[in-house]
Amino acid sequence: MELKFKFLGKSCWILDIDNKVKIGSNPSFNVKKGSDTKFIEPHDEAFKNVKLWLITECTPNSFDEEGAKIIELDSKIIARKECGKLLRDKKNSNIYFLDWFKKIEFEIKGYKIIVEGVPTYKGGGFLSSPILGKANGYLLTVIDNENKRKRIYVTGETIYQENIIKTLIYYPIDLMITNIENIKNNYFSGEKTMDLVMLNSFIRTLNPKEVITIFSKGEKARKEIQKYIELIEIGEEKNIY
């Protein structure tokens, strides 16, 4: 089974399975005036014939009105309930609001695709404990007609937390798609987000075969973080065998 990943900017990406089934995540196109955030425009061919969309959270950087418009009527959509207001024009039969630890299964073009909701966490400032996030991570298991399978972990917006690891530790992960936000958190002030230390903790503990790291902010911040870690570029494709 061959996977082809394409990063489309912000936190949006497409995963193509054997050139037969396309899975997408987080279409979003609105940006603030003066922002240097780049992304692939919604009329691009990459957004066509996506059979399954995974929405991690309902924030402007992850999912917005313009993103909802490019989702085709026959596409299946997995999201949090908070995203329902942006999906009112879609067929209810194709929308699935998935809670953490719950699973849903689809048959799409001869592939069995199992999606499980994975918790996310937010980090507070100094001496404060992590709290449950308002986003979904996802664990995808894709099985073909020869019973070959790939497991993909989509972290969503989260920090490293042991309760997430407990959900995933017994699964061999073929691909981890992760969002990084900072080089290093300031542990004495501000809200903690995924930084290099946390990302390395995820990789060391889960030992995925492949890791794709995306960065959703502007170009100036991207150039700074690329001094320390390899990021996939906007429009770049990567094959995973």
Side-chain angles (χ1 to χ4, degrees), residues 143-176:
I143 307 170
D144 67 13
N145 55 16
E146 296 179 353
N147 208 35
K148 295 177 182 177
R149 63 187 63 206
K150 295 281 188 182
R151 286 194 178 91
I152 302 106
Y153 170 42
V154 182
T155 67
E157 299 287 345
T158 189
I159 62 172
Y160 181 85
Q161 224 284 333
E162 288 295 332
N163 286 338
I164 300 175
I165 299 304
K166 290 177 184 177
T167 305
L168 302 168
I169 193 65
Y170 297 108
Y171 294 107
I173 305 294
D174 295 288
L175 171 63
M176 185 171 82

Side-chain angles (χ1 to χ4, degrees), residues 6-16 22-30 38-53 55 62-64 66-76 90 234-235 237:
K6 185 173 184 177
F7 180 47
L8 302 178
K10 299 186 79 175
S11 58
C12 182
W13 48 262
I14 299 291
L15 189 67
D16 196 327
K22 289 167 71 174
I23 298 172
S25 182
N26 292 350
S28 172
F29 304 103
N30 289 329
K38 295 182 178 180
F39 52 84
I40 303 296
E41 295 292 336
H43 54 73
D44 192 271
E45 288 291 320
F47 294 104
K48 295 183 178 179
N49 299 314
V50 178
K51 297 303 179 184
L52 175 63
W53 283 98
I55 311 301
S62 296
F63 188 53
D64 58 25
E66 295 304 311
K69 289 178 183 178
I70 62 97
I71 298 179
E72 294 160 324
L73 289 178
D74 65 341
S75 299
K76 300 183 186 302
K90 306 302 176 185
I234 297 163
E237 296 182 350

